[in-house]
Amino acid sequence: MLVAGSFVTLIAIGFPIAFALAATALIYIFASDNTVLLQSYAQQMFGGLENYGLLALPLFILLGEMMNSGGIGRRLMALSLALLGRIKGGLAYVNLVANMFMASILGSAVAQITIMSKMAVPEMERAGYPRDVSVAITAAGSVLAPIIPPSMMFIIFGVIAQIPIGDLFIAGVVPGLILFVAFIGVIAFLGQKHGFPTTDAMTMKERGRALIDALPALSIPVIIIGTILGGIATPTEAAAIATLAAMLIGLFVYRDMSFRDLAPAFVRAARNAAIVLFLIAAAQVFSWVITFENVPATVAAWLQSLTSSPLVFLLLLNILLLLLGTITDPIPAIILVVPVLLPVAMDTYGIDPFQFGVIVCLNLTLGLLTPPVGTGLFTAALMGNVRAERIAWLIVPFFLASAVVIVLLSLFPPLTIGLKGLLE
């Protein structure tokens, strides 16, 4: 109770999450008179970063910067339009397909919303789509980011859970495709409700030109997923190769980026990576403390008193995560939840850690689109110059579709672990 009370109090008075985690550990050490633990405090914090898998995180952040500056996203958007052709609500589907392409490269929902808002929303508005609906579709598409590899949340989950990140990427492929198909159905429904315009037809020559122009951009997801699935590279090595490829494509193929753009991109990537990595370091100390206070065992005993069914446990977990996601960002939530509940899920209920990881990451990402915190929601509203409450209302059909997918993933473990088993 001391740990939980201290942490909640620090957050309530305005402490940043990372500092609250680190300070809570210190409060526990002094309050419990275990000052000998101070000798290991710095070591535990450093140990949270001493993981090879975490190298992938700054590299994928840098990859996003190179993509944004190098014109790769714009080419993927044009390819999506060429592939779909003349259909009702074509640009809405293009937005979603482009979001899927971007999810397979960026792995960050907020970064995806920022980039796609700049590319897709103006095009949709010019074509006659309501601006608020265009922004809502763009924001909803970002939910694909945490489960279509590579995913920053998967990397962080894999490090904390100490499971192979490459296998976690594989576990996210099928759920990501299922969610994509579900969103296609939602867009079809919205198209009928709002009377989406029909996309102009493109000639075969125009489609061929768009495909050829996008081939270098398509090499990025092929490099990442192909090298990991083929056993050629680890996720970290794949991130490094893809980042180098994106930089060379932006500089010498598309020429949308100059050498002057490299230094600012490196600085932005370093700053963003430092924020996340410090959060992980502080979380390691916090996890160390809650283990010392026997919190996982206490939670396990409480949950066992409620139910002995793994399915009921997962349904309760989903409710908890949806509520938690409304008040905190996904990465801090992962850091708080995984050390406590993953041992319970595995040891008490026999739930596969890869199934658990996909469900947790998808659940918490929905929190990006829900008030009162809703970082993704407010980012989309700001970028699209639309009221956040309007976007929140329009996202409801996508939210319901995501909830259905989460229930399916809870009911049928092969949806998450089946592909991994086939490839072994």
Side-chain angles (χ1 to χ4, degrees), residues 334-353:
I334 286 178
I335 291 168
L336 292 172
V337 165
V338 174
V340 176
L341 292 180
L342 180 60
V344 177
M346 292 174 61
D347 300 336
T348 305
Y349 295 100
I351 295 169
D352 187 274

Side-chain angles (χ1 to χ4, degrees), residues 97-403:
V97 172
N99 261 303
M100 187 174 71
F101 280 136
M102 298 291 280
S104 70
I105 300 172
L106 286 175
S108 166
V110 175
Q112 193 169 322
I113 289 172
T114 303
I115 293 172
M116 289 301 298
S117 294
K118 294 177 182 176
M119 292 192 303
V121 173
E123 290 294 326
M124 293 179 70
E125 191 174 19
R126 276 193 291 269
Y129 290 77
R131 186 175 186 82
D132 52 359
V133 175
S134 303
V135 175
I137 292 172
T138 302
S142 69
V143 177
L144 296 167
I147 55 175
I148 293 182
S151 163
M152 290 184 196
M153 290 177 69
F154 276 179
I155 294 170
I156 293 168
F157 182 93
V159 169
I160 295 174
Q162 298 183 349
I163 59 176
I165 295 170
D167 288 347
L168 194 54
F169 282 177
I170 295 170
V173 172
V174 173
L177 292 175
I178 293 172
L179 187 63
F180 174 74
V181 172
F183 281 8
I184 288 287
V186 173
I187 289 178
F189 164 75
L190 292 177
Q192 293 298 321
K193 181 178 179 181
H194 295 280
F196 287 169
T198 301
T199 308
D200 293 335
M202 295 180 69
T203 65
M204 290 303 297
K205 184 177 180 180
E206 289 172 329
R207 292 182 183 182
R209 191 182 300 121
L211 177 60
I212 292 171
D213 196 32
L215 283 177
L218 286 174
S219 69
I220 304 300
V222 170
I223 288 171
I224 295 170
I225 298 172
T227 54
I228 293 173
L229 293 182
I232 299 170
T234 65
T236 301
E237 293 162 348
I241 296 168
T243 301
L244 179 61
M247 183 172 65
L248 295 176
I249 289 169
L251 287 171
F252 302 114
V253 179
Y254 294 147
R255 297 183 180 179
D256 285 5
M257 182 169 63
S258 68
F259 284 99
R260 279 194 301 263
D261 297 321
L262 292 180
F266 277 104
V267 170
R268 287 193 300 270
R271 185 185 297 117
N272 292 332
I275 293 169
V276 177
L277 291 172
F278 179 66
L279 185 57
I280 294 171
Q284 172 60 28
V285 179
F286 183 80
S287 300
W288 174 54
V289 163
I290 65 172
T291 303
F292 233 87
E293 207 177 47
N294 212 25
V295 171
T298 303
V299 172
W302 176 69
L303 286 170
Q304 279 183 302
S305 70
L306 294 177
T307 179
S308 59
S309 167
L311 178 58
V312 175
F313 166 77
L314 282 176
L315 294 177
L316 290 173
L317 174 71
N318 288 329
I319 295 171
L320 170 66
L321 292 174
L322 285 172
L323 293 174
L324 183 61
T326 64
I327 58 173
T328 185
D329 284 342
I331 291 176
I334 286 178
I335 291 168
L336 292 172
V337 165
V338 174
V340 176
L341 292 180
L342 180 60
V344 177
M346 292 174 61
D347 300 336
T348 305
Y349 295 100
I351 295 169
D352 187 274
F354 296 97
Q355 180 191 14
F356 184 85
V358 173
I359 290 172
V360 167
C361 291
L362 177 54
N363 241 310
L364 291 176
T365 302
L366 290 179
L368 283 173
L369 303 177
T370 53
V373 176
T375 307
L377 175 69
F378 289 106
T379 300
L382 179 65
M383 298 297 295
N385 195 26
V386 180
R387 292 178 64 86
E389 55 267 31
R390 177 61 180 161
I391 304 302
W393 178 250
L394 289 169
I395 284 174
V396 169
F398 293 98
F399 190 93
L400 294 176
S402 301

